């Protein structure tokens, strides 16, 4: 077992128990059947993701066209750059008409009901609409000159989805999809026509347009947003966008409108539909975790699933630029304890948490190896 990785231990959240394997990822040890507002449904119902109903009614094609129309004067994200991406004019996200995919692979570091036994089918888009100074994926999110070589067609993106399905992945998990939402939707349409049947996970930084999210209703099955900050000032300093708190909260309200606080599982305990909000513990509580939990409880629901993450480590410029000294270390145990305690104190009822000891050791990707950028979480399970 690698140095710094602790033995597994069980952590209970609500009525569910998770086995934390020390890698920082979350291993499931209990399959839910009935968990309050959560629902375990027959597999015959979950074999048909919602986008297939839209496909049959031709509504999916209409949604795709509406999303693509936003590219002409780009309002795909709240930056509202108004550049014509259909003509490959680039602006804040450095992205044009075609999608950029930096890696696609089965991934075992997501929440337990997304990973299952064969992994989430992760598709990592290149570039980003944020500029997080601590981004663990900075090799692909902030290197637009290098990422242009990873530009692909919509048809190729659809093929990637079908390949991940053929490999046995439990879902298609689009990582950093915000700036490529129209391209993502076009590829889903193509893949669905060719036999895609997996749930779609929208794994986002939450700096999303409400208009776009409304068009994604019924296309996306699982929303997996980060809620990075409770204050706009932190969003501007550390992610280089204005009004992060208000924009992300509006986006989460729209996601909640679509899913409510219900998590829908199949008979094998795999998540088929719902909203899971991720909160990353940052040193010096820069993200104001407790404030975000207060907002989730009061404005959404105490039953919204929360995934509390301990994986932060100083990377990108956070560990070297004196301007970001407050981010230049891991979170300490007392900071983590306060974040964990807030879950119970505020009555949050559902979700998962990472293990403090090992999380920051596992989540250190190297996208120079695009096939396996993350070490397999199973490498850290003690024999």
């Amino acid at each position: 077992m690698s140095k710094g990785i602790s033995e597994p231990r069980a952590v209970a959240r609500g009525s569910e128990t998770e086995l934390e394997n020390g890698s920082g990822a979350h291993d499931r040890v209990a399959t839910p059947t009935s968990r309050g507002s959560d629902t375990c449904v027959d597999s015959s119902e979950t074999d048909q993701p919602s986008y297939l109903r839209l496909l049959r009614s031709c509504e999916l094609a209409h949604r795709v066209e509406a999303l693509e129309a936003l590219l002409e004067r780009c309002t795909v994200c709240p930056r509202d750059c108004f550049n014509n991406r259909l003509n490959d004019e680039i602006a804040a996200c450095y992205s044009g008409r075609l999608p950029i995919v930096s890696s696609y692979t089965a991934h075992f570091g997501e929440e337990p009901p997304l990973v299952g036994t064969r992994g989430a089918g992760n598709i990592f888009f290149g570039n980003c609409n944020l500029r997080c100074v601590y981004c663990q994926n900075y090799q692909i999110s902030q290197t637009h000159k290098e990422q242009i070589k990873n530009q692909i067609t919509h048809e190729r993106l659809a093929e990637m989805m079908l390949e991940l399905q053929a490999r046995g992945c439990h879902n298609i998990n689009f990582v950093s999809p915000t700036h490529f939402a129209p391209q993502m939707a076009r590829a889903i349409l193509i893949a669905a026509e060719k036999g895609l049947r997996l749930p779609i996970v929208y794994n986002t930084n939450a700096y999303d347009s409400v208009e776009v999210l409304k068009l994604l209703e019924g296309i996306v099955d699982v929303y997996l947003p980060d809620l990075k900050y409770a204050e706009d000032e932190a969003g501007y300093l550390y992610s280089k966008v204005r009004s992060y708190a208000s924009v992300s909260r509006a986006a989460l309200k729209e996601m909640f409108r679509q899913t409510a606080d219900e998590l829908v599982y199949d008979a094998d305990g795999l998540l088929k539909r719902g909203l899971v909000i991720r909160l990353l513990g940052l040193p010096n509580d820069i993200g104001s975790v407790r404030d975000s939990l207060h907002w989730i409880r009061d404005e959404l629901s105490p039953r919204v699933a929360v995934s509390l993450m301990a994986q932060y480590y100083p990377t990108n410029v956070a560990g070297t630029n004196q301007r970001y000294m407050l981010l230049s270390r891991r979170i300490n145990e007392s900071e983590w304890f306060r974040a964990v305690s807030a879950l119970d104190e505020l009555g949050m009822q559902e979700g998962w948490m990472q293990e403090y000891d090992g999380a920051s050791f596992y989540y250190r990707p190297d996208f120079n190896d695009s096939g396996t950028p993350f070490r397999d979480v199973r490498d850290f399970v003690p024999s």
Side-chain angles (χ1 to χ4, degrees):
M1 186 164 56
S2 299
K3 182 179 179 182
I5 306 303
S6 64
E7 295 291 329
R9 63 184 179 87
V11 174
R13 289 288 319 283
S15 59
E16 181 172 295
T17 299
E18 302 299 336
L19 179 67
E20 295 182 339
N21 60 23
S23 67
H26 331 245
D27 281 341
R28 187 180 203 88
V29 294
T31 300
T33 52
S34 178
R35 301 165 52 203
S37 64
D38 297 348
T39 304
C40 181
V41 300
D42 183 78
S43 60
S44 63
E45 297 178 38
T46 59
D47 284 343
Q48 298 293 313
S50 51
Y51 60 82
L52 293 179
R53 293 192 293 273
L54 297 181
L55 176 67
R56 289 192 291 269
S57 68
C58 297
E59 176 63 18
L60 182 55
H62 295 318
R63 298 280 191 87
V64 170
E65 291 172 359
L67 285 162
E68 289 177 334
L70 301 177
L71 292 168
E72 187 171 6
R73 295 183 73 249
C74 190
T75 55
V76 170
C77 94
R79 283 183 177 270
D80 291 339
C81 294
F82 301 119
N83 54 312
N84 189 341
R85 290 176 60 185
L86 296 177
N87 288 340
D88 285 323
E89 295 177 5
I90 62 173
C93 72
Y94 295 102
S95 303
R97 182 178 67 88
L98 293 175
I100 292 174
V101 173
S102 302
S103 175
Y104 70 106
T105 185
H107 184 50
F108 293 87
E110 311 291 12
E111 285 71 11
L114 296 174
V115 167
T117 58
R118 296 189 297 274
N122 280 25
I123 295 178
F124 294 88
F125 284 119
N127 301 336
C128 188
N129 63 330
L130 301 188
R131 295 289 184 278
C132 300
V133 299
Y134 53 88
C135 180
Q136 69 172 26
N137 295 348
Y138 72 94
Q139 290 172 305
I140 62 174
S141 67
Q142 299 181 27
T143 57
H144 65 277
K145 292 181 180 178
E146 289 77 18
Q147 289 308 304
I148 192 66
K149 71 178 186 298
N150 294 321
Q151 184 171 278
I152 59 174
T153 64
H154 301 88
E155 289 76 13
R156 177 58 187 140
L157 179 53
E159 289 174 359
M160 291 176 175
M161 297 161 67
L162 294 170
E163 288 176 31
L164 291 168
Q165 178 173 267
R167 290 168 59 181
C169 294
H170 300 297
N171 50 66
I172 301 299
N173 180 16
F174 288 104
V175 182
S176 300
T178 300
H179 54 304
F180 284 126
Q183 294 88 340
M184 177 193 77
R186 170 65 66 182
I188 291 170
L189 171 60
I190 296 169
E193 291 173 335
K194 295 183 177 180
L196 183 70
R197 296 296 181 268
L198 295 181
I200 300 298
V201 181
Y202 192 79
N203 187 340
T204 173
N205 58 39
Y207 200 69
D208 287 284
S209 159
V210 171
E211 179 185 7
V212 168
L213 293 174
K214 288 180 177 179
L215 290 170
L216 291 176
E217 184 172 7
I219 299 176
V220 170
D221 299 287
V222 178
Y223 285 105
L224 188 60
D226 294 322
L227 186 53
K228 294 180 178 294
Y229 316 105
E231 298 177 354
D232 288 338
E233 182 180 0
Y236 186 73
L237 179 58
Y238 299 115
S239 293
K240 312 307 177 188
V241 289
R242 299 184 185 278
S243 306
Y244 177 86
S246 55
V247 166
S248 61
R249 289 177 175 185
L252 264 63
K253 282 187 174 182
E254 173 58 23
M255 296 176 194
F256 179 75
R257 183 193 67 78
Q258 296 179 26
T259 66
D261 58 9
E262 179 183 52
L263 296 181
V264 179
Y265 295 86
D266 70 6
D268 296 321
L270 295 171
L271 185 58
K272 296 298 183 181
R273 177 176 168 79
L275 168 64
V276 179
I277 300 176
R278 287 175 163 176
L279 296 177
L280 174 65
L282 294 172
N284 298 292
D285 196 27
I286 285 170
S288 303
V289 167
R290 179 179 285 271
D291 290 345
S292 289
L293 287 170
H294 261 295
W295 180 84
I296 293 168
R297 184 195 66 180
D298 295 345
E299 297 296 326
L300 303 182
S301 165
R303 290 197 57 80
V304 168
V306 171
S307 184
L308 187 61
M309 303 188 299
Q311 70 188 54
Y312 178 81
Y313 66 99
T315 187
N316 196 8
V317 298
T320 58
N321 190 321
Q322 291 293 314
R323 187 181 182 191
Y324 310 120
M325 283 299 295
L326 292 177
L327 286 170
S328 63
R329 60 170 174 82
R330 284 189 63 197
I331 61 171
N332 59 42
E333 289 185 85
S334 62
E335 289 168 335
W336 179 244
F337 177 76
R338 286 194 295 271
V340 171
S341 298
L343 292 169
D344 291 329
E345 292 168 10
L346 296 175
M348 305 306 296
Q349 300 174 32
E350 298 294 337
W352 301 267
M353 64 181 72
Q354 292 175 331
E355 182 177 318
Y356 171 77
D357 289 339
S360 67
F361 292 92
Y362 170 64
Y363 292 93
R364 299 194 177 203
D366 181 5
F367 284 94
N368 290 317
D369 180 1
S370 62
T372 53
F374 287 86
R375 287 188 62 184
D376 192 325
V377 64
R378 295 168 295 186
D379 293 344
F380 295 94
V381 176
S383 58

